[in-house]
């Protein structure tokens, strides 16, 4: 029977995979070489699709990872690369992974890994990161902003092909608290705190500017961002329950950007605390969708 299933015509396999969702495709992908080839083409189409809903990658202190869609359907796989690592940015199906200095891009769909120069810091706590485009493109730029209690804010930028990170000098920012998310657009990186402050970094001019975000302002003299922020995305969608996670579980989520017909939606980074007095498990996660 194994030989018969693996010998199905490529045309028939193509018809099958065209009717499968992401979770089913990942399972289909692991059956045999012929099925893997058919699924790879379909997975590439899904990665490039602008209408795919976000998926959640949940992992802990070992290599076992769980991939969920918003309905709670799960695909479990082993990703040794994420053992002891932290996802700090996500864009177009790729995640940027920090491992205490070493840093790399990883695609959970194809298991492709792209190493980049070691980050200058071995610890990242209060931070936000983004990259301009997939690491397979020549235009890819990575920016990581970090805030240290003693030394304040620092910004590190990596251009495609560079051998080391460039540190940008920053002015003192006022009333900027914990960093919450970051995004790239129009040759600028946008770093949001978790309240109402925004720091923009111009790739062209290598300058940073601080802004204050206002709600429901219709004045023509005020600049409007082409983005909408979605805070507490994981909590508002009751994802803990959908994913079967107990109330004693804490989880740290790395957000992403979801393309909409009119305005891109920024899904902010999120810390979901345990509802119990003592947490039994601390998990990490990433949300990703193409833009």
């Amino acid at each position: 029977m194994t030989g018969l299933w693996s010998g199905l015509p490529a045309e028939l396999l193509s018809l099958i995979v065209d009717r499968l969702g992401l979770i089913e495709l990942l399972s289909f992908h692991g059956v045999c070489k012929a099925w893997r080839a058919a699924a790879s083409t379909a997975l590439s189409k899904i990665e490039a699709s602008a209408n795919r809903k976000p998926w959640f990658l949940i992992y802990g202190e070992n290599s076992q990872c769980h991939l969920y869609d918003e309905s709670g359907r799960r695909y479990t796989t082993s990703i040794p690369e994420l053992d002891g690592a932290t996802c700090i940015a996500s864009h177009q199906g790729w995640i940027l992974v920090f491992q205490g200095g070493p840093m790399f891009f990883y695609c959970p769909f194809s298991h492709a890994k792209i190493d980049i120069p070691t980050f200058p810091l071995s610890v990242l706590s209060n931070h936000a990161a983004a990259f301009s485009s997939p690491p397979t493109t020549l235009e890819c730029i990575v920016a990581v902003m970090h805030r240290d209690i003693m030394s304040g804010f620092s910004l590190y930028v990596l251009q495609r092909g560079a051998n080391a990170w460039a540190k940008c000098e920053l002015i003192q920012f006022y009333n900027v608290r914990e960093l919450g998310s970051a995004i790239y657009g129009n040759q600028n990186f946008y770093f949001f705190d978790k309240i109402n402050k925004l720091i923009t970094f111009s790739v062209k001019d290598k300058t940073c500017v601080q802004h204050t975000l206002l709600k429901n302002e219709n004045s023509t003299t005020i600049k409007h961002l082409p983005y909408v922020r979605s805070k507490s995305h994981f909590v508002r969608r009751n994802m803990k329950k959908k994913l079967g996670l107990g109330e004693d579980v804490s989880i740290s989520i790395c957000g992403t950007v979801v393309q909409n017909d009119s305005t891109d939606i920024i899904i902010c980074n999120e810390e979901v605390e345990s509802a119990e007095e003592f947490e039994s498990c601390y998990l990490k996660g990433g949300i990703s969708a193409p833009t």
Side-chain angles (χ1 to χ4, degrees):
M1 286 298 292
T2 302
L4 292 175
W5 284 114
S6 63
L8 289 175
E11 296 79 6
L12 179 57
L13 290 176
S14 179
L15 290 173
I16 294 172
V17 298
D18 284 344
R19 289 164 172 78
L20 299 180
L22 174 60
I23 302 299
E24 291 84 3
L25 271 174
L26 290 171
S27 298
F28 192 94
H29 185 270
V31 173
C32 63
K33 185 176 180 180
W35 290 31
R36 185 177 302 113
S40 295
T41 301
L43 285 170
S44 298
K45 292 178 180 179
I46 286 181
E47 290 180 44
S49 170
N51 298 315
R52 183 163 56 85
K53 293 182 179 180
W55 50 263
F56 297 83
L57 178 67
I58 307 297
Y59 57 100
E61 296 303 322
N62 53 48
S63 61
Q64 188 177 61
C65 302
H66 305 286
L67 185 66
Y68 302 84
D69 61 16
E70 287 201 326
S71 69
R73 292 183 302 167
R74 180 175 69 178
Y75 172 77
T76 301
T77 185
S78 177
I79 306 180
E81 291 84 355
L82 295 184
D83 190 8
T86 301
C87 172
I88 63 171
S90 173
H91 186 42
Q92 289 192 350
W94 288 87
I95 57 176
L96 179 62
V97 181
F98 176 73
Q99 215 164 23
M103 194 176 287
F104 57 90
F105 286 102
Y106 186 78
C107 179
F109 299 115
S110 62
H111 294 286
K113 179 184 177 184
I114 300 177
D115 291 310
I116 60 177
T118 299
F119 193 69
L121 304 177
S122 60
V123 176
L124 280 177
S125 52
N126 187 354
H127 69 276
F131 49 100
S132 60
S133 58
T136 52
T137 64
L138 295 176
E139 300 80 16
C140 183
I141 307 171
V142 186
V144 180
M145 182 171 287
H146 175 260
R147 185 185 185 188
D148 183 83
I149 296 177
M150 301 298 294
S151 57
F153 287 92
S154 55
L155 176 64
Y156 297 88
V157 178
L158 182 70
Q159 301 269 1
R160 172 70 184 265
N163 295 320
W165 292 79
K167 184 177 182 179
C168 302
E169 296 299 327
L170 299 181
I171 61 172
Q172 179 64 41
F173 299 123
Y174 298 97
N175 299 319
V176 178
R177 304 184 185 279
E178 187 175 1
L179 294 169
S181 56
I183 187 176
Y184 174 86
N186 300 319
Q187 295 190 320
N188 287 281
F189 282 95
Y190 299 83
F191 298 93
F192 299 87
D193 77 352
K194 291 190 175 181
I195 305 178
N196 67 340
K197 300 299 179 183
L198 167 67
I199 300 170
T200 58
F201 171 71
S202 169
V203 173
K204 181 180 179 180
D205 301 330
K206 302 295 188 293
T207 57
C208 282
V209 179
Q210 180 178 335
H211 310 267
T212 298
L213 300 176
L214 304 175
K215 292 184 178 180
N216 303 321
E217 281 288 344
N218 295 319
S219 172
T220 57
T221 61
I222 296 177
K223 294 182 178 180
H224 293 265
L225 287 173
Y227 310 107
V228 173
R229 286 194 298 169
S230 175
K231 297 181 179 180
S232 302
H233 183 91
F234 194 87
V235 171
R236 286 189 291 103
R237 282 162 176 73
N238 199 21
M239 291 306 298
K240 253 193 179 185
K241 182 177 180 180
K242 287 183 179 180
L243 305 186
L245 302 176
E247 290 302 317
D248 57 341
V249 173
S250 295
I251 183 167
S252 176
I253 300 291
C254 172
T256 189
V257 179
V258 179
Q259 189 178 52
N260 205 344
D261 292 336
S262 56
T263 305
D264 289 347
I265 301 173
I266 304 172
I267 300 179
C268 298
N269 297 347
E270 193 171 346
E271 297 285 341
V272 183
E273 300 295 336
S274 166
E276 305 292 337
E277 183 178 357
F278 301 102
E279 68 175 37
S280 65
C281 183
Y282 176 74
L283 301 175
K284 299 175 184 178
I287 305 175
S288 186
T291 56

